[in-house]
């Protein structure tokens, strides 16, 4: 355990930031699952709506620094490819 006051503060702030980042990452995972579920069901309209919401969520996470920008771009690209392959 930290003895120095500034180190104790750093522990508290890093825990807060870790919780916030975890919440954002969970939101991204949920959005991706919604797109995949819509693609599995074959509903193109629902898949496109879910993709729009998911890409927004993913890009927001990247702008906050929770996800790397290339990671976010890759996720959006793969999801949009799946949606575009629907007939």
């Amino acid at each position: 355990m930290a003895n120095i006051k500034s180190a104790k503060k750093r522990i508290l702030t890093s825990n807060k930031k870790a919780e916030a980042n975890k919440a954002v990452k969970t939101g991204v995972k949920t959005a991706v699952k919604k797109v995949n579920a819509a693609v599995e069901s074959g509903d193109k309209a629902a898949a496109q709506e879910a993709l729009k919401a998911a890409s927004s969520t993913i890009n927001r996470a990247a702008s906050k620094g929770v996800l790397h920008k290339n990671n976010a771009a890759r996720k959006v690209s793969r999801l949009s490819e799946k949606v575009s392959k629907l007939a």
Side-chain angles (χ1 to χ4, degrees):
M1 183 66 203
N3 291 325
I4 299 169
K5 188 173 184 179
S6 62
K8 291 178 182 176
K9 286 181 185 178
R10 290 303 304 163
I11 290 169
L12 293 176
T13 56
S14 65
N15 286 343
K16 277 185 194 173
K17 287 182 180 183
E19 287 296 318
N21 290 344
K22 193 184 297 184
V24 172
K25 284 183 181 180
T26 304
V28 168
K29 288 178 191 174
T30 304
V32 169
K33 284 179 187 175
K34 285 181 182 176
V35 174
N36 287 332
V39 168
E40 288 293 318
S41 68
D43 188 1
K44 186 158 184 153
Q48 287 174 334
E49 284 299 314
L51 174 65
K52 188 176 177 186
S55 63
S56 172
T57 304
I58 292 168
N59 290 332
R60 198 174 311 120
S63 70
K64 289 181 179 181
V66 177
L67 294 179
H68 191 276
K69 65 183 178 99
N70 292 353
N71 185 315
R74 184 177 66 243
K75 284 182 188 297
V76 172
S77 175
R78 287 179 178 172
L79 288 175
S80 59
E81 185 180 17
K82 283 181 184 179
V83 171
S84 67
K85 283 184 178 177
L86 281 177

